[in-house]
Amino acid sequence: AGALVAGLNDLSFTRSGYLWMLANIASNVSHLLVLRSLKLNRALSNTQILHYSGMWSLAWLVPLGLAEGIGSTLQELLRQPLSFQLVVLSTGVNSILMFL
């Protein structure tokens, strides 16, 4: 329902766009149900649940990144100024530390 409400004033309606939105909603709901199941069926802390969530995301994001050519993006990052590289590095390290 949220996707339909968001699209009421949308300037361009495409069937594939709404199908992707519905797929996104279905995957988010599935993800939350899996996390809830983990929490209810095991004595896991919120930190452990966050860790499992991060690992689940990586299982999908790494192959997708490789398919999308993340290698060329990393090469482009290395050509950026050092200050920008440090910002990206600190953001990445912060994201990793959140999952520990």
Side-chain angles (χ1 to χ4, degrees), residues 16-99:
S16 65
Y18 280 90
L19 289 175
W20 278 111
M21 179 60 75
L22 290 173
N24 179 25
I25 292 168
S27 66
N28 282 328
V29 168
S30 299
H31 181 205
L32 291 174
L33 289 174
V34 167
L35 292 179
R36 183 173 183 198
S37 173
L38 283 172
K39 183 72 173 171
L40 292 177
N41 295 331
R42 295 179 178 84
L44 298 176
S45 70
N46 287 337
T47 303
Q48 290 170 317
I49 295 293
L50 183 61
H51 178 75
Y52 280 118
S53 177
M55 290 293 111
W56 178 253
S57 297
L58 281 177
W60 297 101
L61 290 175
V62 169
L64 180 63
L66 293 173
E68 291 288 326
I70 196 168
S72 61
T73 302
L74 293 175
Q75 289 174 354
E76 181 63 31
L77 175 62
L78 294 176
R79 289 191 285 270
Q80 299 298 318
L82 180 60
S83 58
F84 182 76
Q85 292 176 10
L86 292 175
V87 168
V88 172
L89 177 67
S90 67
T91 303
V93 169
N94 184 36
S95 299
I96 291 169
L97 290 176
M98 285 179 16
F99 293 119

